[in-house]
Amino acid sequence: MAEGAAIQHRVAESRADAGDVPADEYAFHFLSGRPSLDLVATIGERWRRAFERLREPRDLARWAVEAGLVEEAPRVLRRDLERARRLRAAIARVVFAWVDGRTLPARDVAVVNEAAARPGLVEALAVTGEPVVPVRASIGAVLSTVARDAIGLVTSGDPRRVRECGADDCSLLFWDASRPGRRRWCSMEGCGNRAKTSRYRQRHAVAR
């Protein structure tokens, strides 16, 4: 495994909806730094409950908007949801193999390539002269763009920059774009602060 990339290899298909998952845990997370890894993050707690955040087609439509890929929620059918889940699992297994320095799984590569071969999202032009995300697009275009991001990650990125959050209760994968490449947490404001607070309390408990 690449140095600094201690990743738990738990990305099989999600379990059935876990009844003990609080409602707020179904919120999407966009801390990965890459759309493809953000899609992988729609499985919650890979190391334990592995619960599904993309439970219904409308969840995938909402994810596309919250991910900042489109402005309006695309139409999503049940078969689109299943296709997104297959792509998610394929991306995760491809990324894990890449980080480990293993040969990429051919079947999963085929799934990623098939999604990427579809027309992707096309940026629109704002009156300010800046590019903006399209107002509306098909879910196929959204998934194509996510698949292309995964391809770009693996073909031009550094596997040592793919990390798993260092918090004991978080398994979110992220792309470390920091200059020193030593980022440990998916979010300094969230997991990073919680970890530091926990260590602080432990030290003071020992001192007392």
Side-chain angles (χ1 to χ4, degrees), residues 124-132:
L125 180 66
V127 294
T128 59
E130 298 174 337
V132 292

Side-chain angles (χ1 to χ4, degrees), residues 6-203:
I7 294 177
Q8 301 178 50
H9 291 58
R10 176 74 185 276
V11 281
E13 297 303 322
S14 63
R15 300 177 187 173
D17 189 25
D20 60 342
V21 177
D24 60 348
E25 289 291 334
Y26 289 110
F28 298 128
H29 298 286
F30 301 99
L31 301 169
S32 301
R34 305 287 302 227
S36 53
L37 297 183
D38 284 338
L39 181 63
V40 172
T42 58
I43 290 286
E45 294 186 2
R46 285 185 297 105
W47 81 99
R48 185 170 58 156
R49 290 178 289 188
F51 62 87
E52 179 63 80
R53 290 190 169 108
L54 296 178
R55 294 170 289 171
E56 300 291 339
R58 64 176 177 270
D59 296 325
L60 178 57
R62 180 168 54 87
W63 180 86
V65 174
E66 293 183 14
L69 297 174
V70 288
E71 288 190 15
E72 293 184 3
R75 180 170 180 259
V76 178
L77 303 177
R78 176 64 59 174
R79 64 173 178 269
D80 299 318
L81 178 61
E82 295 304 320
R83 188 151 51 97
R85 289 172 175 172
R86 287 195 299 272
L87 176 62
R88 176 183 62 192
I91 289 174
R93 287 190 286 261
V94 165
V95 169
F96 287 158
W98 174 58
V99 168
D100 281 351
R102 294 182 281 113
T103 300
L104 305 185
R107 181 175 300 178
D108 295 313
V109 167
V111 171
V112 173
N113 288 340
E114 180 182 6
R118 297 172 179 267
L121 298 174
V122 178
E123 288 183 333
L125 180 66
V127 294
T128 59
E130 298 174 337
V132 292
V133 299
V135 173
R136 61 184 63 86
S138 70
I139 192 60
V142 170
L143 296 180
S144 173
T145 297
V146 171
R148 293 179 190 191
D149 179 73
I151 292 172
L153 175 66
V154 172
T155 58
S156 62
D158 182 345
R160 293 170 297 181
R161 292 273 181 164
V162 175
R163 304 282 173 77
E164 184 174 65
C165 181
D168 293 337
D169 58 349
C170 181
S171 65
L172 192 139
L173 299 180
F174 64 87
W175 170 252
D176 183 4
S178 66
R179 179 171 295 180
R182 297 174 183 172
R183 182 177 154 196
R184 295 183 59 193
W185 322 105
C186 65
S187 167
M188 196 60 244
E189 295 75 17
C191 289
N193 279 341
R194 284 192 294 105
K196 288 186 176 182
T197 299
S198 176
R199 289 200 300 270
Y200 174 83
R201 289 174 176 171
Q202 289 174 0
R203 287 197 300 268

